[in-house]
Amino acid sequence: MSECCTRGSELAKQNPDQDCANLPYGLINVQSEDIENCRITARVCCHRERRSQECYDGIMHGRSGGVCKTRFSFDECQGKEYKKCCECCQLGLVAHRQLLRCDISSVKSLNLGSYCAEAYKDCCLNGKIVATNRPPTATSAPLQPSGMCERFLGRLCEHICINTASGHVCRCREGYRLQADDKTCILDTSTSGPGQSSDDSQCENSPCEQSCLGTGTGIQCSCLLGYQLNRDGLSCDDVNECAYNTDDCQEGQECFNTMGSFTCRRILGCGTGYEMNPAGECVDMDECELGVDECEAGFECTNQPGSFRCVPRIQCGVGYNYDRTGNCVDINECDGSSCPRGTKCINTVGSYRCQRLVTCGAGYELNEDESNCEDIDECARGTHDCQGLSECKNNRGSYICQCPSGYTADQSTRTCQDIDECIRFAGRVCAQSCINTEGSYTCECREGFELAGDNRNCKDLNECDNNPCEQRCINVYGSFQCSCNRGYRVASDGRTCEDTDECALYSGQGQGSLCMHECVNTRGSYTCRCPPGYELLQDDRSCADLKECDTGLHNCTEQQECFNIRGGYRCHDVTCPDNYVKTTPTRCEHNPCPYDDEVCKAEPTSISFNYLTFPSGIRTPANLFKMSAALRYPQDRFEFTLAGNERDYFTLMQEDRYSAIVKMETSIPGPAEHQLELEMKMFRESEVRSRNVARIFIYVTKYTF
């Protein structure tokens, strides 16, 4: 029962919204006959814990000056306990204000209960409080008349609490004095604090809030222990020792800051059923003596360590049990099925009896000791009437005539009739065709299928195993199809293969053709060929220029310049005229002219040789060549002329003051060769100062690639 009480108290703490009258059945692992007693004990301890909590909250509410009202609770008595302790606390506050003795004998004479008496004394001794939050050191045990300083650690006095026989008194530390509420302390300004200057002439009427020190030339303000000087050098603020970890609280205690100091409070309470003595030790609470046991009238309270037990006052005999009031009531043994099979349990006062059942139904008979009914096996005794192919099968209390597979039993004639499975189970016994037989059936398959191993389903017949096709055979469901290798197609007979002329099939498709140049059909395939001067690439379709000048496959001399064109090359003799020097393989620069040689000055300053090649039929217009000059003086003017444009394939467009572009306006069919000469004249003050000539050799190939 001690465990049941502890569990009930824990539920009251952990689940404040749980009704004590509806505690769950799974409290602890107890025997079935003790479950009800355990629930009663847990419910009593739950109510006791709730009453203690409600009373404590009522005291705190009363000390804070609140209005005492009954608040909501699952137990109406607990809600009233809150109001009663609150009102008893307010009686104690009146006695505190009138400086009366905090004697609880007058309250006890009113029979208001121990909770009310302790609430009266607590509020009479301590007076009102500002904070109403329940501190972490509070326990659910009733308040005791001794050890008040330890029981309400840090809540009764601001500085120092001293226990007395009737309660406690408060004292202040040095430099402070007790206020009229006998609890809080304020700075005592009537005496000099630590560091106060003895030079009254300097510190007289000083602005210092706490301590003044005369320095001879002025004053210096300082603060008492537990305070720090503000930036104004005059006023003092409290030091929060808890925040700066300068307190000396021990393990299991929590630091709470106060003005000029701090207090240490115990974090954990003693737990349900225990209270703290003046020495700070947890001792057992005698619930029976305090009258908080809540045992019913038929039970007697017996104190246990940390709990109590409700012991029945009378002893019940065999066949009886206790109800919740302690009275003896009959046990219904029949609820536990106390009688053996074949008998019926009948409850009696204080006991029970078993009545034997001897009536058997049809198909049953009594066993040898007539204690039970057992089945009659009509098949084994031969008392059945099954005919022909039917076979007797015994059931409990009866039998049936069972026919072999493929037959159905006619219960009227007790004979077996053939089942036409093909009609009765149409579409379910065979996948394709069903043929009925006597007592069974057979399945057949259509052409292209064969019967599977279950003799019901049909599986596809792989005709390709007999090689009906010339090259490839593809089996399909119920049939087959012939196909050919790449480069062939299936002939009209659907089985043999004939060559496909890919060149003819994909001819005239432009970029989609099989070959870039020429396609040659072969049996089962084709090959691509390229014109002279080209080579077939790795894709076996595209043609690329051989680039004879790069690979050394040309016959140009060392004095000649090899210029590669698509499908061939050209050997050019770059020979500079007289009075010119070759500065690059394709450029000639004029030697300096004498000052008075006008003929020399009229000759071109430079002659460049430029070679262009492109395939036939490129898109036009297209920019081919650009000539530009460096602009040295803003007044310089440039003039561009183009020669050799007989068929008007080309146009000259001056892009800006010092550059021009040769454009091809009309697509040139190949093969074709054209030579142009682009001249640029530079004028300065209307006088030709320089001439530059670019000779352009254009080669258009025969093919479009």
Side-chain angles (χ1 to χ4, degrees), residues 185-348:
C185 299
I186 62 173
L187 182 66
D188 189 0
T189 59
S190 62
T191 61
S192 298
Q196 184 75 30
S197 173
S198 60
D199 189 352
D200 295 334
S201 62
Q202 285 186 303
C203 288
E204 185 177 0
N205 298 323
S206 71
C208 299
E209 181 179 353
Q210 291 187 0
S211 299
C212 173
L213 176 64
T215 62
T217 58
I219 62 170
Q220 181 178 352
C221 296
S222 61
C223 298
L224 299 176
L225 181 65
Y227 293 86
Q228 60 184 0
L229 196 63
N230 286 329
R231 292 184 178 180
D232 58 7
L234 303 174
S235 59
C236 297
D237 276 349
D238 172 60
V239 175
N240 190 338
E241 293 85 357
C242 301
Y244 292 108
N245 293 324
T246 58
D247 60 274
D248 57 356
C249 295
Q250 304 299 317
E251 183 176 0
Q253 294 179 333
E254 184 175 6
C255 177
F256 288 86
N257 188 60
T258 61
M259 292 300 295
S261 185
F262 62 92
T263 60
C264 299
R265 301 180 188 174
R266 180 183 175 92
I267 297 177
L268 300 176
C270 291
T272 304
Y274 293 88
E275 61 183 351
M276 188 178 297
N277 62 14
E281 300 172 340
C282 292
V283 296
D284 175 58
M285 176 195 300
D286 192 340
E287 295 87 352
C288 301
E289 182 179 350
L290 295 174
V292 294
D293 53 88
E294 298 188 5
C295 291
E296 298 292 343
F299 293 87
E300 181 179 358
C301 178
T302 303
N303 188 58
Q304 301 288 329
S307 183
F308 64 93
R309 290 188 61 186
C310 295
V311 180
R313 298 182 183 275
I314 59 175
Q315 296 296 324
C316 296
V318 178
Y320 293 86
N321 203 351
Y322 301 101
D323 63 6
R324 63 181 300 171
T325 60
N327 296 321
C328 296
V329 293
D330 175 56
I331 298 175
N332 188 354
E333 294 83 357
C334 295
D335 290 342
S337 301
S338 302
C339 293
R341 292 183 56 189
T343 61
K344 179 181 179 181
C345 178
I346 299 176
N347 186 59
T348 61

Side-chain angles (χ1 to χ4, degrees), residues 97-242:
R97 289 194 298 270
Q98 295 177 358
L99 302 178
L100 301 177
R101 292 185 61 189
C102 299
D103 186 5
I104 63 174
S105 58
S106 59
V107 180
K108 285 186 175 180
S109 63
L110 299 176
N111 294 325
L112 296 178
S114 60
Y115 281 90
C116 179
E118 296 302 330
Y120 170 85
K121 182 173 182 178
D122 179 38
C123 297
C124 176
L125 293 172
N126 300 312
K128 285 190 176 182
I129 59 174
V130 177
T132 59
N133 290 334
R134 184 174 181 175
T137 58
T139 66
S140 58
L143 303 177
Q144 297 299 316
S146 60
M148 301 298 290
C149 295
E150 290 78 12
R151 181 179 298 278
F152 300 100
L153 184 63
R155 293 186 286 131
L156 302 180
C157 301
E158 183 177 8
H159 283 187
I160 303 171
C161 180
I162 301 174
N163 287 313
T164 64
S166 60
H168 74 285
V169 293
C170 295
R171 295 288 185 267
C172 296
R173 291 191 294 274
E174 182 180 358
Y176 293 82
R177 59 184 175 85
L178 196 64
Q179 294 197 90
D181 61 0
D182 293 329
K183 177 180 180 181
T184 58
C185 299
I186 62 173
L187 182 66
D188 189 0
T189 59
S190 62
T191 61
S192 298
Q196 184 75 30
S197 173
S198 60
D199 189 352
D200 295 334
S201 62
Q202 285 186 303
C203 288
E204 185 177 0
N205 298 323
S206 71
C208 299
E209 181 179 353
Q210 291 187 0
S211 299
C212 173
L213 176 64
T215 62
T217 58
I219 62 170
Q220 181 178 352
C221 296
S222 61
C223 298
L224 299 176
L225 181 65
Y227 293 86
Q228 60 184 0
L229 196 63
N230 286 329
R231 292 184 178 180
D232 58 7
L234 303 174
S235 59
C236 297
D237 276 349
D238 172 60
V239 175
N240 190 338
E241 293 85 357
C242 301

Side-chain angles (χ1 to χ4, degrees), residues 362-492:
Y364 293 88
E365 60 185 6
L366 287 172
N367 57 7
E368 292 182 358
D369 59 2
E370 297 183 350
S371 63
N372 203 354
C373 294
E374 62 182 12
D375 173 65
I376 299 173
D377 191 346
E378 295 87 350
C379 300
R381 295 184 182 183
T383 57
H384 63 86
D385 58 351
C386 296
Q387 306 294 326
L389 297 175
S390 62
E391 180 182 358
C392 178
K393 183 178 180 181
N394 187 62
N395 289 332
R396 291 184 61 83
S398 182
Y399 71 95
I400 60 172
C401 294
Q402 190 174 27
C403 293
S405 177
Y407 294 88
T408 181
D410 187 343
Q411 297 299 332
S412 61
T413 61
R414 299 288 185 176
T415 59
C416 295
Q417 304 293 328
D418 174 64
I419 298 174
D420 190 344
E421 295 86 354
C422 298
I423 296 177
R424 175 175 291 187
F425 308 106
R428 289 182 289 170
V429 292
C430 295
Q432 293 183 0
S433 299
C434 177
I435 300 175
N436 186 62
T437 60
E438 183 67 24
S440 184
Y441 64 93
T442 58
C443 296
E444 294 182 353
C445 300
R446 297 188 296 270
E447 184 180 0
F449 296 88
E450 61 182 359
L451 203 61
D454 59 359
N455 293 323
R456 294 180 55 194
N457 294 303
C458 294
K459 64 179 182 179
D460 175 60
L461 179 64
N462 191 353
E463 296 87 349
C464 295
D465 292 341
N466 298 323
N467 299 321
C469 302
E470 180 181 357
Q471 290 186 358
R472 295 181 182 179
C473 177
I474 302 173
N475 185 61
V476 296
Y477 191 73
S479 183
F480 69 96
Q481 290 182 354
C482 294
S483 64
C484 299
N485 297 328
R486 184 175 180 180
Y488 295 87
R489 60 185 176 186
V490 180
S492 58

